[in-house]
Amino acid sequence: MSNVLQFKKPRPKDKHRGKTLCKSGFHKWQVVKENPFDVKSGKMISRYHCLRCGKVKIQGLGTRD
Ligand SMILES: [Zn+2]
Protein backbone atom coordinates (compact mmCIF):
# COMPACT_ATOMS: atom_id res chain seq x y z
CA MET A 1 0.00 0.00 0.00
CA SER A 2 2.86 2.37 0.73
CA ASN A 3 3.99 2.04 -2.87
CA VAL A 4 0.68 3.41 -4.08
CA LEU A 5 1.13 6.49 -1.94
CA GLN A 6 4.54 7.12 -3.47
CA PHE A 7 3.08 7.08 -6.98
CA LYS A 8 0.58 9.70 -5.99
CA LYS A 9 3.27 12.16 -5.03
CA PRO A 10 3.84 14.89 -7.61
CA ARG A 11 7.03 14.70 -9.55
CA PRO A 12 9.74 17.23 -8.80
CA LYS A 13 9.51 20.20 -11.09
CA ASP A 14 12.34 21.55 -13.18
CA LYS A 15 12.80 24.32 -10.68
CA HIS A 16 13.44 21.84 -7.93
CA ARG A 17 15.84 19.92 -10.12
CA GLY A 18 17.75 23.13 -10.74
CA LYS A 19 18.12 23.75 -7.05
CA THR A 20 19.46 20.27 -6.66
CA LEU A 21 22.07 21.09 -9.27
CA CYS A 22 22.94 24.24 -7.37
CA LYS A 23 23.40 22.27 -4.19
CA SER A 24 25.78 20.03 -6.07
CA GLY A 25 27.79 23.06 -7.11
CA PHE A 26 26.47 23.29 -10.67
CA HIS A 27 25.19 26.83 -10.73
CA LYS A 28 23.85 28.56 -13.78
CA TRP A 29 26.12 31.57 -13.77
CA GLN A 30 25.24 34.74 -15.62
CA VAL A 31 27.49 37.77 -15.82
CA VAL A 32 26.25 40.83 -13.99
CA LYS A 33 27.31 43.85 -15.98
CA GLU A 34 26.65 46.44 -13.33
CA ASN A 35 29.57 47.88 -11.44
CA PRO A 36 32.39 45.94 -13.07
CA PHE A 37 34.90 48.03 -11.16
CA ASP A 38 35.60 47.11 -7.59
CA VAL A 39 36.44 50.27 -5.68
CA LYS A 40 37.92 48.54 -2.69
CA SER A 41 40.58 46.59 -4.55
CA GLY A 42 40.87 48.98 -7.48
CA LYS A 43 40.63 46.13 -9.96
CA MET A 44 38.27 45.17 -12.68
CA ILE A 45 36.14 42.29 -11.58
CA SER A 46 33.50 40.06 -13.02
CA ARG A 47 30.34 39.53 -11.10
CA TYR A 48 28.20 36.47 -11.64
CA HIS A 49 24.87 35.49 -10.22
CA CYS A 50 23.08 32.19 -10.46
CA LEU A 51 19.85 32.35 -12.43
CA ARG A 52 18.35 29.60 -10.32
CA CYS A 53 19.29 30.22 -6.70
CA GLY A 54 20.57 33.80 -6.92
CA LYS A 55 23.97 33.07 -5.48
CA VAL A 56 26.63 35.63 -6.34
CA LYS A 57 30.29 35.09 -7.04
CA ILE A 58 32.97 37.59 -7.88
CA GLN A 59 36.04 36.94 -9.94
CA GLY A 60 38.89 39.34 -10.21
CA LEU A 61 40.43 39.80 -13.63
CA GLY A 62 44.14 39.31 -14.03
CA THR A 63 44.51 37.53 -10.74
CA ARG A 64 44.32 33.86 -10.08
CA ASP A 65 43.54 33.14 -6.50
ZN1 LIG B 1 22.70 28.27 -8.14
Side-chain angles (χ1 to χ4, degrees):
M1 287 303 282
S2 59
N3 284 339
V4 177
L5 286 176
Q6 281 183 11
F7 280 118
K8 281 187 178 179
K9 284 186 179 177
R11 286 189 154 193
K13 295 178 181 177
D14 290 344
K15 217 173 187 180
H16 181 263
R17 202 192 310 167
K19 290 242 175 171
T20 305
L21 281 171
C22 284
K23 281 185 180 178
S24 303
F26 295 101
H27 295 279
K28 193 172 184 179
W29 297 117
Q30 188 185 54
V31 178
V32 180
K33 292 180 180 177
E34 299 171 11
N35 301 325
F37 193 82
D38 185 15
V39 179
K40 286 181 184 176
S41 66
K43 297 174 188 171
M44 293 293 290
I45 57 168
S46 290
R47 253 177 240 262
Y48 302 87
H49 79 274
C50 176
L51 293 177
R52 284 193 295 257
C53 71
K55 183 177 179 177
V56 176
K57 74 170 181 176
I58 297 176
Q59 265 186 358
L61 298 179
T63 54
R64 281 192 179 182
D65 195 9

